[in-house]
Amino acid sequence: MNFRAIFPFFALFCAAGFSVNAAAQSAYPNKPIKLIVPFPAGGSLDSTSRLLAEKLTISLGQTVIVENRAGAGGNIGMDALAKSAPDGYTLGMGALSTHAVNPSLVSKMPYDANKDFTPISNVVVTPNVLLLHPSIAAKDVLAFIAFARTNPGKLAFASGSNGSGGHMAGERLKSMYALDMIHVPYKGGAPALQALLAGDVQFSFDNLASSLANIKAGKLKALAVTTPTRSPLAPEVPTMSEAGVKDFDIYTWWGLFAPANLPTDLLKKLNEATVKALALPDLREKFQAGGAEPSPTTPEAFAAFIRAEQIKYAKVVKDSGAKID
């Protein structure tokens, strides 16, 4: 075979192939995009994802469809994302639990939280707040701790899932004060909140975005937020530090991810679209009204933040002794 004779045609074929591929990427997106939400509909992560999807639909010029894939503390949905093609048409809204806590809490993870994903941008952060059912008479955090000590094994706290910020906050309080309390995980923040409102459990560390309306209505007692500073949406609620519990900085965050090996140009486009959306006044107002603060980042900064959070929560999990097989 005369390779010299066919080489020009081969080179032309390759060039054409690369040209088609580049054109396809430059035309992105040319079909609807799926956004996997690894928790049930109705919770604050779901509502945050749907609000963002509306704005991305406008900025990207293609419909962004939210698909709830709940279960296993978010691992089912994120595993589905990890196994998707890195073509920009399947994205996922990861969380504190799926990327920072579960790697230490869950014995057999279905994915590698660092290697199997492309971080695009953090989306929002929201403080957790220590909530009591009105039947508990304690009026502040230290009084509640004293009450828990005198009622070992009688108090239960709800969370939206194993590995959630609410779960970790409860375990942190237990380990700090050697409290005997029961953790009850639910399938999402909404049913966990309903359980607390119904009195099925006595307290929880819910995110402020979910619980703010019930706090203002007097249906739940808010003792303290878990961030270093007070929330402007509930300025009357002290921080855990102000309430007498030091070193208790546990908050919830949600961020946008793609499968690993997302092409650089698509990553750039998705990051820019996300940052642009989070800067829109109407979207910021909707998030802030619900207690969430928009927190866009570069992909590099988001990846570094996740690694720092993994180190932080590995210690929380170890100190608590919590483990899920």
Side-chain angles (χ1 to χ4, degrees), residues 35 47-66 277 280 282-283 286:
L35 175 59
S47 60
T48 295
S49 301
R50 292 179 187 277
L51 287 170
L52 180 62
E54 290 177 5
K55 298 303 183 183
L56 291 179
T57 292
I58 295 171
S59 62
L60 293 173
Q62 284 289 341
T63 303
V64 179
I65 303 168
V66 171
L280 294 172
D282 63 327
L283 186 60
K286 288 177 181 178

Short mmCIF file of all heavy atoms in Angstrom, two decimals, residues 35 47-66 277 280 282-283 286:
data_model
loop_
_atom_site.label_atom_id
_atom_site.label_comp_id
_atom_site.label_asym_id
_atom_site.label_seq_id
_atom_site.Cartn_x
_atom_site.Cartn_y
_atom_site.Cartn_z
N LEU A 35 -30.73 18.10 34.31
CA LEU A 35 -30.11 18.46 35.59
C LEU A 35 -30.59 17.48 36.65
O LEU A 35 -31.76 17.52 37.07
CB LEU A 35 -30.46 19.89 35.98
CG LEU A 35 -29.96 20.36 37.36
CD1 LEU A 35 -28.44 20.26 37.46
CD2 LEU A 35 -30.42 21.79 37.64
N SER A 47 -35.89 23.07 44.98
CA SER A 47 -36.38 24.39 44.57
C SER A 47 -35.24 25.27 44.07
O SER A 47 -35.40 26.00 43.08
CB SER A 47 -37.11 25.08 45.73
OG SER A 47 -36.26 25.27 46.84
N THR A 48 -34.07 25.16 44.72
CA THR A 48 -32.90 25.91 44.25
C THR A 48 -32.52 25.47 42.84
O THR A 48 -32.23 26.30 41.97
CB THR A 48 -31.71 25.68 45.19
OG1 THR A 48 -32.02 26.23 46.48
CG2 THR A 48 -30.44 26.33 44.66
N SER A 49 -32.53 24.18 42.60
CA SER A 49 -32.17 23.64 41.29
C SER A 49 -33.14 24.11 40.22
O SER A 49 -32.74 24.45 39.09
CB SER A 49 -32.15 22.11 41.34
OG SER A 49 -31.22 21.65 42.29
N ARG A 50 -34.43 24.14 40.54
CA ARG A 50 -35.44 24.54 39.55
C ARG A 50 -35.34 26.04 39.23
O ARG A 50 -35.52 26.43 38.08
CB ARG A 50 -36.83 24.17 40.05
CG ARG A 50 -37.04 22.66 40.09
CD ARG A 50 -38.39 22.22 40.60
NE ARG A 50 -38.41 20.77 40.74
CZ ARG A 50 -38.65 19.92 39.75
NH1 ARG A 50 -38.91 20.39 38.54
NH2 ARG A 50 -38.64 18.62 39.97
N LEU A 51 -35.04 26.85 40.23
CA LEU A 51 -34.86 28.28 39.98
C LEU A 51 -33.64 28.52 39.08
O LEU A 51 -33.70 29.33 38.15
CB LEU A 51 -34.69 29.03 41.31
CG LEU A 51 -35.94 29.19 42.15
CD1 LEU A 51 -35.59 29.73 43.53
CD2 LEU A 51 -36.94 30.13 41.47
N LEU A 52 -32.54 27.80 39.37
CA LEU A 52 -31.35 27.94 38.54
C LEU A 52 -31.61 27.42 37.13
O LEU A 52 -31.18 28.03 36.14
CB LEU A 52 -30.18 27.18 39.17
CG LEU A 52 -28.86 27.25 38.38
CD1 LEU A 52 -28.35 28.68 38.26
CD2 LEU A 52 -27.80 26.35 39.04
N ALA A 53 -32.33 26.30 37.02
CA ALA A 53 -32.63 25.71 35.70
C ALA A 53 -33.39 26.70 34.82
O ALA A 53 -33.15 26.78 33.61
CB ALA A 53 -33.42 24.42 35.87
N GLU A 54 -34.31 27.46 35.42
CA GLU A 54 -35.07 28.45 34.65
C GLU A 54 -34.13 29.48 34.03
O GLU A 54 -34.30 29.86 32.86
CB GLU A 54 -36.08 29.14 35.55
CG GLU A 54 -37.24 28.26 36.00
CD GLU A 54 -38.16 28.99 36.96
OE1 GLU A 54 -37.95 30.20 37.19
OE2 GLU A 54 -39.09 28.35 37.48
N LYS A 55 -33.17 29.97 34.81
CA LYS A 55 -32.26 30.99 34.31
C LYS A 55 -31.26 30.42 33.31
O LYS A 55 -30.90 31.09 32.33
CB LYS A 55 -31.53 31.65 35.48
CG LYS A 55 -32.45 32.36 36.45
CD LYS A 55 -33.31 33.42 35.77
CE LYS A 55 -34.18 34.16 36.76
NZ LYS A 55 -35.07 35.14 36.09
N LEU A 56 -30.79 29.19 33.55
CA LEU A 56 -29.86 28.57 32.60
C LEU A 56 -30.56 28.29 31.27
O LEU A 56 -29.94 28.37 30.20
CB LEU A 56 -29.29 27.28 33.18
CG LEU A 56 -28.33 27.43 34.36
CD1 LEU A 56 -27.87 26.06 34.84
CD2 LEU A 56 -27.12 28.29 33.97
N THR A 57 -31.84 27.97 31.32
CA THR A 57 -32.61 27.76 30.10
C THR A 57 -32.58 29.01 29.23
O THR A 57 -32.42 28.94 28.01
CB THR A 57 -34.07 27.39 30.45
OG1 THR A 57 -34.08 26.10 31.07
CG2 THR A 57 -34.94 27.36 29.19
N ILE A 58 -32.69 30.17 29.86
CA ILE A 58 -32.68 31.43 29.13
C ILE A 58 -31.28 31.74 28.59
O ILE A 58 -31.11 32.06 27.41
CB ILE A 58 -33.17 32.58 30.03
CG1 ILE A 58 -34.63 32.36 30.42
CG2 ILE A 58 -33.00 33.93 29.33
CD1 ILE A 58 -35.14 33.30 31.48
N SER A 59 -30.28 31.62 29.47
CA SER A 59 -28.92 32.02 29.06
C SER A 59 -28.29 31.05 28.07
O SER A 59 -27.50 31.45 27.21
CB SER A 59 -28.02 32.18 30.29
OG SER A 59 -27.91 30.95 30.98
N LEU A 60 -28.62 29.75 28.15
CA LEU A 60 -28.04 28.76 27.25
C LEU A 60 -28.87 28.54 26.00
O LEU A 60 -28.40 27.96 25.03
CB LEU A 60 -27.86 27.43 27.99
CG LEU A 60 -26.82 27.42 29.12
CD1 LEU A 60 -26.87 26.10 29.88
CD2 LEU A 60 -25.42 27.66 28.58
N GLY A 61 -30.12 28.99 26.01
CA GLY A 61 -30.96 28.85 24.83
C GLY A 61 -31.51 27.46 24.62
O GLY A 61 -32.01 27.15 23.53
N GLN A 62 -31.42 26.61 25.63
CA GLN A 62 -31.99 25.27 25.57
C GLN A 62 -32.65 24.95 26.91
O GLN A 62 -32.20 25.41 27.96
CB GLN A 62 -30.92 24.22 25.27
CG GLN A 62 -30.45 24.19 23.83
CD GLN A 62 -31.48 23.63 22.88
OE1 GLN A 62 -32.42 22.94 23.29
NE2 GLN A 62 -31.32 23.92 21.59
N THR A 63 -33.70 24.16 26.87
CA THR A 63 -34.41 23.80 28.09
C THR A 63 -33.52 22.98 29.02
O THR A 63 -32.89 22.01 28.58
CB THR A 63 -35.68 23.00 27.75
OG1 THR A 63 -36.49 23.77 26.87
CG2 THR A 63 -36.46 22.67 29.01
N VAL A 64 -33.48 23.36 30.28
CA VAL A 64 -32.79 22.58 31.30
C VAL A 64 -33.87 21.89 32.13
O VAL A 64 -34.67 22.53 32.81
CB VAL A 64 -31.91 23.48 32.20
CG1 VAL A 64 -31.23 22.63 33.28
CG2 VAL A 64 -30.86 24.20 31.35
N ILE A 65 -33.90 20.57 32.03
CA ILE A 65 -34.95 19.77 32.65
C ILE A 65 -34.45 19.15 33.95
O ILE A 65 -33.43 18.44 33.97
CB ILE A 65 -35.41 18.65 31.70
CG1 ILE A 65 -35.88 19.24 30.36
CG2 ILE A 65 -36.50 17.80 32.32
CD1 ILE A 65 -36.06 18.21 29.27
N VAL A 66 -35.16 19.40 35.05
CA VAL A 66 -34.78 18.83 36.34
C VAL A 66 -35.32 17.41 36.45
O VAL A 66 -36.49 17.15 36.17
CB VAL A 66 -35.32 19.69 37.50
CG1 VAL A 66 -35.11 18.98 38.85
CG2 VAL A 66 -34.63 21.05 37.51
N ALA A 277 -26.20 33.81 35.90
CA ALA A 277 -27.54 33.58 36.45
C ALA A 277 -27.61 33.99 37.91
O ALA A 277 -28.58 34.62 38.35
CB ALA A 277 -27.93 32.11 36.29
N LEU A 280 -28.17 37.67 38.71
CA LEU A 280 -29.44 38.30 38.36
C LEU A 280 -30.18 38.72 39.63
O LEU A 280 -30.39 37.90 40.53
CB LEU A 280 -30.30 37.35 37.54
CG LEU A 280 -29.76 36.99 36.14
CD1 LEU A 280 -30.60 35.88 35.52
CD2 LEU A 280 -29.74 38.23 35.25
N ASP A 282 -33.31 39.28 40.42
CA ASP A 282 -34.52 38.55 40.81
C ASP A 282 -34.20 37.17 41.37
O ASP A 282 -34.85 36.72 42.33
CB ASP A 282 -35.49 38.45 39.64
CG ASP A 282 -34.94 37.67 38.46
OD1 ASP A 282 -33.71 37.72 38.23
OD2 ASP A 282 -35.72 36.98 37.77
N LEU A 283 -33.19 36.50 40.81
CA LEU A 283 -32.82 35.18 41.32
C LEU A 283 -32.17 35.32 42.70
O LEU A 283 -32.48 34.54 43.62
CB LEU A 283 -31.87 34.47 40.35
CG LEU A 283 -31.52 33.02 40.71
CD1 LEU A 283 -32.78 32.17 40.77
CD2 LEU A 283 -30.54 32.43 39.71
N LYS A 286 -34.84 35.86 45.28
CA LYS A 286 -35.59 34.64 45.59
C LYS A 286 -34.79 33.73 46.52
O LYS A 286 -35.33 33.16 47.47
CB LYS A 286 -35.97 33.90 44.31
CG LYS A 286 -37.05 34.60 43.50
CD LYS A 286 -37.34 33.86 42.20
CE LYS A 286 -38.41 34.58 41.39
NZ LYS A 286 -38.67 33.91 40.09
#
